[in-house]
Amino acid sequence: MKAIFQNGRFFQAQLSGGIPAADPTFADCMVVEAGIITHIGAAKDAEVVKAQNEGATIQDLSQRIVLPGFIDGHMHLLMMGQSLKKVDLEACKSLEDIRAEIKAYAISHPEVHRILCRGWMHFMTDGKALSSMLDDLDPRPIFIDSKDLHSAWCSSAALEEMGVYGMEDPKGGCIHRDANGRASGLLDEAAAVTIVWPHVASISPMDQKLDAIREAFKAYMAAGYTGMVEMAMDENALEVLQELRQRDGEFPVRIAAHWIIAPSETEEQNLTQVHRAIQLHEQLNRETSPQLRIVGIKVICDGVIDACTAALSKPYSSTGVSCEPLWTSEMLDPVVRTADAAGLQCALHAIGDGAIKLAIDVLEKNGTPGRRHRIEHLELASSEDAKKLGRLGITASIQPVHADPAILRAWPKLLGEHRCGRAFAYKEFEDGGATLALGSDAPTAPHAPFPNLYTATTRRSAREPQYLEVVNYHFTLSLASAVSAATAGSAYSCFADTWAGSLEKGKKADFVVVDMDWSPENLLAASVKETWFEGRKIFDAENPSTI
């Protein structure tokens, strides 16, 4: 069946290696057959006339803009779905606010066995996170994910349930302790990833996890996404996705996943994890491509600036203390080398300039040209390292929602004003020839694409639009570049660019119809009207429950 989409403005980016080379143009018509774009261009062209003569259906788009389906270049699918059911603390300003939210939830939900929360940020509690701040609220275990997911704040009942009191610090992580050496409530980095995450996953029934994924899919389709790059795939999330596939059939979007590699005591233990990723890469890419692929590995090289766990080249201004990367080059080299040799992409989380330098050096030494290895976040890169990304073919995986000025208020104190001037150097990455892949890092930040694009192109706050501060305006992206990074760039980053990421003849008909003005200042008013996946409408704003 053929369909003609006309009277629209179809985004056409001029791309070279995933990088916008010029301002966009807009076609006015697109023809789709069997889920594939067969024509993109003018409504008067011969292909359109032929389709009309063959009885194609006509879709009038009322001059709305049509973009390629968004591809979230960095997100966490199961966590995203589960977060929708957790107590949301993001609007809290203080410890009193947090306590009030949790207390109100506890009173209104006597049936739940545990109280799961999300969105706490260190500044809300002046950097403190003690069990004693939570214990009097409710006797049930209380688990609080930090907004960046690099820390977990737990009540005494939660620590007891996990057996934390008898544990030593895992490699690459910290169980914070009181003066007597007893766990005090905060677990950072690998302690959160290897202790809290698996525990919460194990106590969640399968049906709840399946519903979480379904809810995440619905949220993403309504926001205009047709693909995503999952950045912390593990056995638990994979089991849920495979079970969902068995029950529901094909997914409504495509998933490219990176297998999480936790730092271990020995090289053999590290490489065992890599070999599992290689096995799944060969198995899933053969069996289900492109619906679900394991495309690479994910290694967390440092923490986050707000917790003073990001690895910097010079000490934090607030503490005078440096923080080393979670991996040494000697540990990371064989991991990257083994994954690269098997054809996997390496995604290295690096936020501080010390970790970014480590990641670049390791990829340069062990990576194969054309593998499209990538660095995640890149929040505080030196000018020298920013220029290396393009030369080495390293994808800059960025999340502009983390550059929102409203959540960076503590940075001048932590880093000093001089270093804040290097924050989120997106334009410098692009000018150096790097492909940008734009993601949300949901659930650490909202998944909706337009606030992300707004901050990328204005460097103003989408969370608090009334907050007028602008952070490093000289690093803004053009709207064409930002949209391309959220579509073509993300597709290129995971080798999906042969079938997705742009509106071109021969590619899959993945697109989103939006009401928007083509200007950065008006992006927060933009809205998704329809989302199409392989020529099938998967979201309709006018009838959202009918799809």
Side-chain angles (χ1 to χ4, degrees):
M1 184 68 179
K2 287 186 178 181
I4 301 172
F5 296 84
Q6 63 184 26
N7 193 25
R9 298 175 62 203
F10 297 82
F11 176 77
Q12 300 283 277
Q14 305 300 315
L15 299 173
S16 175
I19 303 170
D23 289 334
T25 57
F26 292 89
D28 62 12
C29 187
M30 184 170 71
V31 180
V32 173
E33 183 174 8
I36 302 295
I37 298 172
T38 59
H39 170 76
I40 184 87
K44 63 183 180 181
D45 289 350
E47 291 88 344
V48 181
V49 175
K50 179 182 177 183
Q52 291 172 333
N53 292 336
E54 292 175 351
T57 59
I58 306 295
Q59 299 273 346
D60 189 296
L61 300 181
S62 304
Q63 277 296 294
R64 292 188 173 116
I65 289 177
V66 181
L67 304 175
F70 292 111
I71 300 172
D72 193 332
H74 181 126
M75 57 84 68
H76 307 281
L77 180 59
L78 179 57
M79 289 181 177
M80 160 65 182
Q82 291 175 320
S83 74
L84 298 174
K85 300 292 185 181
K86 294 182 179 181
V87 183
D88 186 0
L89 305 177
E90 284 204 33
C92 295
K93 304 294 185 184
S94 65
L95 175 61
E96 289 72 24
D97 291 346
I98 291 172
R99 285 173 52 83
E101 286 290 336
I102 295 174
K103 187 68 174 179
Y105 177 87
I107 292 171
S108 61
H109 292 79
E111 76 286 356
V112 302
H113 299 294
R114 298 163 189 85
I115 298 174
L116 306 179
C117 312
R118 65 180 176 90
W120 155 70
M121 289 179 271
H122 292 77
F123 77 82
M124 296 175 179
T125 55
D126 294 325
K128 299 176 183 178
L130 303 174
S131 298
S132 58
M133 297 172 171
L134 306 172
D135 290 343
D136 64 320
L137 298 176
D138 197 274
R140 289 169 289 184
I142 300 173
F143 298 83
I144 306 177
D145 294 331
S146 64
K147 184 178 185 298
D148 51 46
L149 295 180
H150 280 255
S151 302
W153 176 16
C154 306
S155 68
S156 296
L159 295 176
E160 186 71 42
E161 183 177 83
M162 293 185 291
V164 171
Y165 290 122
M167 293 182 184
E168 296 182 355
D169 288 3
K171 188 171 184 62
C174 177
I175 300 171
H176 288 250
R177 305 176 193 275
D178 61 21
N180 298 316
R182 183 175 172 83
S184 59
L186 179 63
L187 291 85
D188 276 334
E189 302 304 333
V193 174
T194 63
I195 298 173
V196 183
W197 292 8
H199 177 76
V200 173
S202 69
I203 60 178
S204 301
M206 176 59 78
D207 283 345
Q208 287 185 9
K209 289 186 279 193
L210 292 172
D211 285 342
I213 295 286
R214 293 183 183 113
E215 289 302 310
F217 280 157
K218 289 179 184 178
Y220 266 84
M221 290 186 290
Y225 288 97
T226 55
M228 56 188 65
V229 183
E230 159 63 54
M231 266 298 159
M233 183 66 76
D234 59 11
E235 299 289 355
N236 174 58
L238 179 60
E239 179 188 17
V240 178
L241 284 170
Q242 290 177 321
E243 179 68 20
L244 184 65
R245 192 182 181 86
Q246 285 288 325
R247 296 194 191 187
D248 294 3
E250 293 295 313
F251 301 138
V253 296
R254 296 185 203 86
I255 305 167
H258 286 256
W259 194 256
I260 188 75
I261 308 295
S264 302
E265 293 296 332
T266 68
E267 180 178 314
E268 180 182 5
Q269 291 172 325
N270 289 332
L271 292 183
T272 295
Q273 299 176 73
V274 178
H275 288 304
R276 176 59 171 155
I278 294 170
Q279 177 190 30
L280 291 169
H281 170 73
E282 295 172 348
Q283 174 189 333
L284 290 175
N285 292 17
R286 179 179 66 250
E287 293 180 357
T288 64
S289 179
Q291 287 285 311
L292 173 61
R293 300 178 293 143
I294 300 294
V295 298
I297 62 168
K298 162 77 175 298
V299 179
I300 300 176
C301 295
D302 71 342
V304 293
I305 287 171
D306 289 278
C308 295
T309 54
L312 304 181
S313 60
K314 295 180 181 179
Y316 283 87
S317 299
S318 56
T319 65
V321 176
S322 296
C323 182
E324 295 298 318
L326 300 175
W327 294 71
T328 64
S329 177
E330 291 72 25
M331 292 169 57
L332 196 51
D333 283 342
V335 167
V336 170
R337 188 163 53 245
T338 302
D340 178 275
L344 271 66
Q345 296 176 268
C346 297
L348 306 183
H349 164 120
I351 283 180
D353 59 346
I356 292 170
K357 185 179 188 308
L358 168 71
I360 290 175
D361 290 347
V362 168
L363 292 177
E364 182 175 18
K365 182 170 29 172
N366 301 289
T368 299
R371 195 72 80 209
R372 302 185 191 178
H373 296 310
R374 44 193 289 160
I375 298 178
E376 310 303 310
H377 309 308
L378 293 154
E379 294 188 3
L380 194 69
S382 70
S383 179
E384 178 184 359
D385 284 337
K387 294 171 185 175
K388 286 184 178 179
L389 300 172
R391 177 170 60 81
L392 296 175
I394 298 172
T395 297
S397 174
I398 60 172
Q399 301 76 41
V401 276
H402 293 329
D404 191 303
I407 61 175
L408 300 179
R409 294 182 174 112
W411 278 40
K413 178 182 177 182
L414 297 174
L415 299 175
E417 292 283 357
H418 61 293
R419 280 190 286 190
C420 289
R422 290 292 317 158
F424 307 98
Y426 302 152
K427 181 61 175 171
E428 204 167 88
F429 304 156
E430 181 184 53
D431 289 346
T435 296
L436 305 183
L438 193 148
S440 72
D441 203 10
T444 73
H447 67 285
F450 292 114
N452 218 351
L453 296 172
Y454 177 78
T455 298
T457 55
T458 67
R459 300 303 284 261
R460 294 181 59 180
S461 176
R463 291 170 58 94
E464 301 178 22
Q466 73 280 6
Y467 186 66
L468 300 180
E469 185 172 341
V470 178
V471 173
N472 295 345
Y473 183 81
H474 53 289
F475 290 145
T476 56
L477 299 174
S478 70
L479 182 51
S481 290
V483 169
S484 295
T487 53
S490 291
Y492 180 87
S493 77
C494 62
F495 286 95
D497 52 312
T498 57
W499 62 76
S502 57
L503 302 178
E504 296 180 63
K505 182 178 180 179
K507 290 193 175 184
K508 294 185 181 293
D510 298 351
F511 59 95
V512 54
V513 181
V514 296
D515 264 348
M516 65 178 292
D517 293 330
W518 191 258
S519 68
E521 293 75 16
N522 295 319
L523 283 169
L524 295 182
S527 63
V528 172
K529 293 302 180 183
E530 299 174 357
T531 306
W532 292 72
F533 179 71
E534 296 187 2
R536 179 173 62 88
K537 188 188 294 185
I538 59 173
F539 173 74
D540 186 337
E542 293 187 3
N543 299 286
S545 63
T546 63
I547 302 299

